[in-house]
Amino acid sequence: MIELLTRTQIDEMRPAGQFVGSVLTALADAAEVGVDLLDLDALAHRMIRDRGAESCYIDYHPSFGASPFGKVLCTSVNDAVLHGLPHPYKLRDGDLLSLDFAVSVDGWVCDSAVTVAVGTPREEDVRLIAHAQEALDAAIAIARPGNKVGDISAAIGAVGRSHGLRVNTQFGGHGVGRTMHGDPHIPNDGKAGRGFPLKPGLVIAIEPWFLHTTDGIRMDEDGWTIRSADGSRGAHVEHTIAITEGDPIVMTARD
Ligand code: MG
């Protein structure tokens, strides 16, 4: 079921988005060479407790999950791109790290992701992050009444293909509200002009992710972390946005 929020409800949701953005900023700043993924999870956990927020991940146990997630943050390093389960690993110079974070504040969820290069970045990784960001920006730009979910998908896919990337459509964006995952599903490629019409009050997470040389993925032995099929690295960016009569509101915008 697709839920449309009132303007008042969207305003009630803003603190969740601001908090998610502030946590991702703190995590991106903290992600230096030698820092352990578990330290990043612990930092996010402290910030959640201090804010009185509620993690959407720690008890998350979907049908594909081996057990409840048990952490508050997804940390996907190098050939891992989605749902990376934090584990003992100290970040190394040149690592590519995706951070995905969702919490509920006052009963409203926001969900966002950022990818950062640790230490000395590889040029091709900087480009991959920029391509994912370009796709997210293109998708947000057309997220307005009169367009459809398929236009968002098509915009993301077009940016990926314009850079010679293959685009996976298995995991993509989704509705956000009282819970983390709602309708509609928003694949990262598709046909323009198709799907649910975008209406004021629709709140969605848009989350393009690209791999350097494949659109194939495989599940890590941990039962959560999704890696590229060919070992190439991935970048993932995400914002929760609210569609309005005019420009969309980027709920999880960072300073
Ligand atoms: Mg997310």
Side-chain angles (χ1 to χ4, degrees):
M1 197 189 86
I2 291 174
E3 196 184 356
L4 299 178
L5 303 189
T6 65
R7 192 61 193 231
T8 304
Q9 289 174 313
I10 290 171
D11 286 341
E12 287 171 4
M13 195 186 240
R14 279 175 179 263
Q18 286 161 357
F19 176 66
V20 166
S22 70
V23 172
L24 284 177
T25 297
L27 292 168
D29 287 347
E32 293 183 344
V33 175
V35 171
D36 200 287
L37 298 179
L38 294 179
D39 295 336
L40 295 177
D41 183 70
L43 170 58
H45 215 152
R46 272 200 304 280
M47 292 182 78
I48 286 173
R49 276 195 297 265
D50 290 349
R51 180 64 179 78
E54 194 176 321
S55 172
C56 295
Y57 290 171
I58 197 157
D59 297 323
Y60 186 57
H61 191 183
S63 54
F64 63 82
S67 56
F69 191 70
K71 305 291 182 203
V72 300
L73 176 69
C74 292
T75 54
S76 304
V77 181
N78 297 340
D79 68 315
V81 66
L82 296 175
H83 308 163
L85 182 64
H87 60 282
Y89 174 83
K90 286 189 172 28
L91 291 166
R92 298 173 188 166
D93 193 45
D95 276 350
L96 188 59
L97 170 68
S98 300
L99 301 161
D100 195 346
F101 184 70
V103 295
S104 167
V105 174
D106 303 330
W108 293 105
V109 171
C110 279
D111 185 2
S112 184
V114 64
T115 297
V116 294
V118 177
T120 318
R122 296 185 185 181
E123 263 180 52
E124 68 267 27
D125 289 344
V126 173
R127 277 199 300 274
L128 193 67
I129 295 169
H131 298 335
Q133 187 62 49
E134 182 186 340
L136 180 56
D137 293 344
I140 292 172
I142 59 157
R144 45 180 62 241
N147 294 329
K148 295 185 174 172
V149 165
D151 294 302
I152 292 176
S153 299
I156 293 168
V159 170
R161 277 179 272 106
S162 77
H163 295 295
L165 299 166
R166 291 197 248 167
V167 184
N168 178 295
T169 54
Q170 287 166 272
F171 292 95
H174 48 89
V176 180
R178 295 284 185 185
T179 59
M180 178 167 60
H181 288 137
D183 291 329
H185 174 59
I186 306 171
N188 283 335
D189 201 1
K191 287 197 162 50
R194 302 275 183 89
F196 185 78
L198 303 177
K199 296 176 182 173
L202 182 66
V203 179
I204 51 176
I206 302 177
E207 47 179 319
W209 55 278
F210 298 137
L211 303 163
H212 276 301
T213 51
T214 184
D215 61 352
I217 53 176
R218 67 180 179 85
M219 176 71 83
D220 186 276
E221 285 169 6
D222 67 14
W224 288 99
T225 306
I226 290 176
R227 299 182 181 278
S228 69
D230 67 356
S232 65
R233 294 176 160 202
H236 173 214
V237 295
E238 174 180 21
H239 273 309
T240 296
I241 68 156
I243 292 170
T244 73
E245 300 285 354
D247 293 336
I249 302 168
V250 181
M251 307 293 283
T252 47
R254 296 183 300 276
D255 299 334

